[in-house]
């Protein structure tokens, strides 16, 4: 019986046909855009890669400029390397470094696997328009000055906006037909931003029952 030995390239082609674009369940509080967290990216490619005998290695390092991550796909003696990609680091404490490494691992893995983990903003987030375009205040249908703070808080939780929504539903404070935090009435959001209310949200995420 003849045994066919597949190369890494042939194995990757088969695995790639089974990749799924990861679910974008997290929200960037600065641009209010959705993205796929690292765990979703891993879940979308690792099972298919492992199915065809391909392992993934990610080597993070700190550099004078920030952090770098090299993503490597291997099978036997064969390997592919994306090459070290450096990401700037502005906060050099444990949380800042780990956050940058997580971001770098996510970007590097989506790049080598050719999948999308972020919403396409046509390059807006990479452009500096402050010198050429006067700053303009965003226009909303109703006052939502609390929204950036709330989104920043919500995304410190494991499930982000989903946790807040489910908490408010159980509290009977989620209006019918509301599609997201930005559509909630201002009084509800202002109340939610108060420390005592936010502690209840955190308690709900940890224990599953609103206090």
């Amino acid at each position: 019986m003849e045994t066919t030995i597949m190369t890494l390239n042939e194995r990757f082609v088969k695995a790639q046909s089974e990749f799924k674009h990861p679910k974008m369940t997290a929200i960037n509080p600065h641009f209010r855009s959705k993205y796929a967290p690292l765990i979703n990216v891993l879940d979308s490619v690792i099972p298919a890669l492992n199915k065809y005998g391909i392992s993934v290695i990610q080597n993070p390092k700190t550099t004078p400029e920030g952090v770098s991550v090299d993503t490597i796909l291997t099978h036997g003696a064969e390997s592919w390397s994306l090459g070290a990609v450096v990401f700037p680091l502005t906060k050099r404490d444990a949380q800042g470094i780990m956050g940058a490494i997580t971001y770098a691992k996510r970007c590097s893995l989506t790049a080598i696997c050719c999948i999308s983990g972020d919403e396409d903003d046509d390059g807006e987030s990479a452009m500096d328009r402050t010198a050429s375009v006067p700053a303009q205040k965003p226009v909303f249908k109703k006052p939502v000055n609390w929204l950036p703070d709330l989104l920043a808080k919500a995304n410190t939780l494991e499930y982000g906006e989903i946790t807040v929504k489910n908490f408010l539903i159980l509290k009977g404070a989620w209006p019918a037909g509301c599609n997201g935090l930005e559509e909630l009435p201002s009084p509800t959001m202002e109340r939610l931003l108060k420390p005592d209310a936010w502690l209840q949200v955190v308690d709900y995420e940890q224990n599953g029952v609103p206090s």
Side-chain angles (χ1 to χ4, degrees), residues 127-148:
M127 299 181 69
D128 182 6
R129 297 185 181 276
T130 56
S132 57
V133 179
Q136 296 181 349
K137 293 183 179 180
V139 178
F140 299 102
K141 291 183 291 186
K142 55 178 176 283
V144 286
N145 295 333
W146 35 260
L147 186 57

Side-chain angles (χ1 to χ4, degrees), residues 11 22 31 33 40 44 56-57 63 75 97 99 112-113 118-119 137 142 153 160 165 168 173 198 202:
R11 291 173 181 272
F31 297 104
S33 58
N40 290 9
S44 70
V56 180
I57 302 171
T63 72
H75 170 70
I97 292 174
I112 199 170
C113 290
D118 299 88
E119 289 183 325
K137 293 183 179 180
K142 55 178 176 283
K153 276 190 171 185
K165 177 179 179 179
L168 291 176
W198 196 253
V202 175

Side-chain angles (χ1 to χ4, degrees), residues 78-169:
E78 291 184 279
S79 65
W80 288 350
S81 171
L82 182 67
V85 181
V86 178
F87 294 81
L89 179 63
T90 57
K91 189 178 179 183
R92 285 189 173 273
D93 58 13
Q95 288 181 326
I97 292 174
M98 288 305 300
I101 288 175
T102 298
Y103 179 80
K105 289 171 68 176
R106 177 171 66 87
C107 294
S108 182
L109 186 56
T110 57
I112 199 170
C113 290
C114 298
I115 59 174
S116 176
D118 299 88
E119 289 183 325
D120 189 347
D121 67 353
D122 196 29
E124 285 296 323
S125 61
M127 299 181 69
D128 182 6
R129 297 185 181 276
T130 56
S132 57
V133 179
Q136 296 181 349
K137 293 183 179 180
V139 178
F140 299 102
K141 291 183 291 186
K142 55 178 176 283
V144 286
N145 295 333
W146 35 260
L147 186 57
D149 288 339
L150 180 75
L151 290 175
K153 276 190 171 185
N155 283 284
T156 63
L157 302 176
E158 182 178 356
Y159 300 108
E161 186 173 2
I162 297 174
T163 296
V164 178
K165 177 179 179 179
N166 290 340
F167 170 79
L168 291 176
I169 289 174

Side-chain angles (χ1 to χ4, degrees), residues 1-19:
M1 179 177 177
E2 183 179 353
T3 302
T4 301
I5 301 177
M6 290 189 294
T7 65
L8 175 57
N9 180 71
E10 292 169 327
R11 291 173 181 272
F12 183 78
V13 169
K14 289 182 175 294
Q16 191 176 39
S17 68
E18 299 181 16
F19 290 167

